[in-house]
Amino acid sequence: MSNITAQDATDRVMGGILLTSLAYFLFSMHDAVVKLLVTSFAVWQVLFFRAITILAGCLIAGGPRIFAEAAASPIAGKMLLRSVIILAAWYAYYTAAKDLQLAELTTIYFAAPVIITVMSIPMLGEKVPPLRWVAVLTGFAGVFIACDPVGIGLTVPVLLVLAAAFLWSLSIILLRMVAMREKTLVQMALNNAYFLVATGIGLTFTWVTPSLWEFSLLMAAGILGGFAQFALFEGMKRAPVSIIAPFEYTSLIWAFLLGWLIWQDIPKPEVFWGAALIMGAGLIIIFGERKRRPG
C-alpha cells in the first residue's frame, strides 16, 4: 500500500512539473504580447484588459456561482495580499519592458527561482536536497552564459526587474500556502477581481482608445495569461516550489525564440550553451524525482 502511495505522489509531482512548464511557455508568449503593447499603452490599461478577460473566462468555466464562492472564500485575505504584491511586481516588470530586450528582461528576472528556493525553507518548511540546489544553480549559470546580464549595467530598468523577481518569488510562496485550500477557479477569480479594481483606478488617468488590432492583442494577453495562471495554480497543488522553481528557466528558451520571430533578435552562440544548461537543470529535477519512484 505504501508503494502505491509513493508512486502516486511521484506521478503527482511529475504532473506538477508538466503543468508548470506549460505555464511558463504561456507566460513567455504573454510577455511578448505585453512587450508589444506597452509601447502604446500604460501598464495599467494592459493589466486591466488582462484581468477582465480572465474574469470572463472564470465566468464561462465556473458559472456565476464562482464569484459567490470567491466572495465567501477563507483565503480572500491572503489572496488580496498576494494580489498587491504581484501587481507591484508586474508594474515594475512591464515598465522595464519598454527599455530592455525580451531576452535581457527574462534573464535578469531569473533571479526568481533561486529566491523562491531559498524562501521555501523558512516560509514553507520545505527540505531542499542537494540535487535540487544543483538544478537551481545549474539553470542560473545557464542564464548568465546565455545573456551575460552583468554586461547590461545596473540601470533603473535592471533594478526594476530585480525588484519584480523578488516580489514574484514572494507571491509564489504565498500561492503555495493557499493552493491546497481552495479550487483554482476561485483563486483566479479572487486574484483578478482585485487586479480589476486596482488597475481600473490607474486606467482612469491613462486611457488610450485601442485600434481593432490593439484590442485583439489586449484580449490575447488576457487569454494567454488566464491559461498560464490556471496551469501554474494547478501545478502548485501538485509539487513543492523547490521542485518546480527551476522549470521557470525554460522561459528563457521561449524568450529567445519569440525575440527572433517578432523582433529578429539573433541569439549569440553562448545562448545555445546556456540553453543546454537550462534544459539540463530541468532534467536533473526529473531524474531525481523519478529515482524516488518505487521500483
Side-chain angles (χ1 to χ4, degrees):
M1 189 67 169
S2 59
N3 282 349
I4 295 173
T5 302
Q7 182 169 330
D8 288 346
T10 303
D11 290 342
R12 187 173 179 81
V13 167
M14 296 305 295
I17 289 172
L18 288 173
L19 283 166
T20 303
S21 299
L22 173 62
Y24 288 123
F25 166 67
L26 294 171
F27 275 131
S28 297
M29 295 183 66
H30 166 271
D31 289 348
V33 173
V34 172
K35 181 171 171 58
L36 289 170
L37 288 167
V38 291
T39 58
S40 304
F41 301 96
V43 174
W44 299 119
Q45 185 164 346
V46 176
L47 295 180
F48 177 85
F49 273 91
R50 181 185 189 274
I52 203 167
T53 304
I54 294 174
L55 284 171
C58 290
L59 179 62
I60 293 169
R65 70 179 182 281
I66 202 70
F67 297 116
E69 292 179 32
S73 175
I75 68 166
K78 284 188 172 65
M79 289 302 288
L80 173 59
L81 175 60
R82 181 182 182 273
S83 298
V84 170
I85 291 170
I86 201 168
L87 186 62
W90 281 344
Y91 185 80
Y93 184 84
Y94 293 126
T95 299
K98 297 177 184 179
D99 302 304
L100 295 174
Q101 293 181 0
L102 186 62
E104 292 174 341
L105 195 69
T106 306
T107 297
I108 301 164
Y109 182 72
F110 276 150
V114 177
I115 298 170
I116 290 169
T117 303
V118 172
M119 282 184 173
S120 72
I121 300 171
M123 296 186 70
L124 296 176
E126 292 188 5
K127 298 185 185 301
V128 183
L131 197 62
R132 288 186 208 164
W133 281 115
V134 170
V136 170
L137 297 176
T138 298
F140 197 57
V143 167
F144 268 80
I145 291 171
C147 273
D148 185 23
V150 176
I152 298 172
L154 201 62
T155 60
V156 171
V158 169
L159 292 174
L160 283 171
V161 181
L162 288 172
F166 174 79
L167 292 168
W168 171 257
S169 301
L170 185 56
S171 78
I172 289 293
I173 295 295
L174 289 172
L175 178 59
R176 176 64 180 177
M177 286 179 172
V178 303
M180 304 302 293
R181 297 174 54 192
E182 190 58 271
K183 60 186 180 184
T184 296
L185 280 179
V186 169
Q187 294 181 57
M188 290 176 65
L190 282 168
N191 224 26
N192 289 283
Y194 295 141
F195 292 154
L196 189 69
V197 173
T199 58
I201 295 170
L203 181 64
T204 59
F205 303 100
T206 58
W207 172 263
V208 175
T209 302
S211 66
L212 182 60
W213 168 246
E214 290 167 336
F215 181 78
S216 299
L217 286 178
L218 288 165
M219 292 298 99
I223 292 167
L224 288 167
F227 280 112
Q229 262 188 25
F230 185 85
L232 181 64
F233 286 21
E234 284 292 310
M236 285 289 166
K237 293 183 177 185
R238 290 165 169 78
V241 294
S242 58
I243 288 179
I244 62 177
F247 288 88
E248 190 167 352
Y249 290 132
T250 58
S251 298
L252 181 65
I253 299 167
W254 304 122
F256 277 107
L257 178 60
L258 291 167
W260 175 67
L261 290 173
I262 300 171
W263 293 279
Q264 288 75 54
D265 294 335
I266 305 298
K268 301 174 293 183
E270 292 84 356
V271 170
F272 299 102
W273 292 107
L277 282 174
I278 292 163
M279 288 187 289
L283 291 173
I284 288 170
I285 292 289
I286 292 172
F287 175 74
E289 292 308 308
R290 284 201 174 277
K291 283 193 71 174
R292 291 157 61 91
R293 183 195 296 263

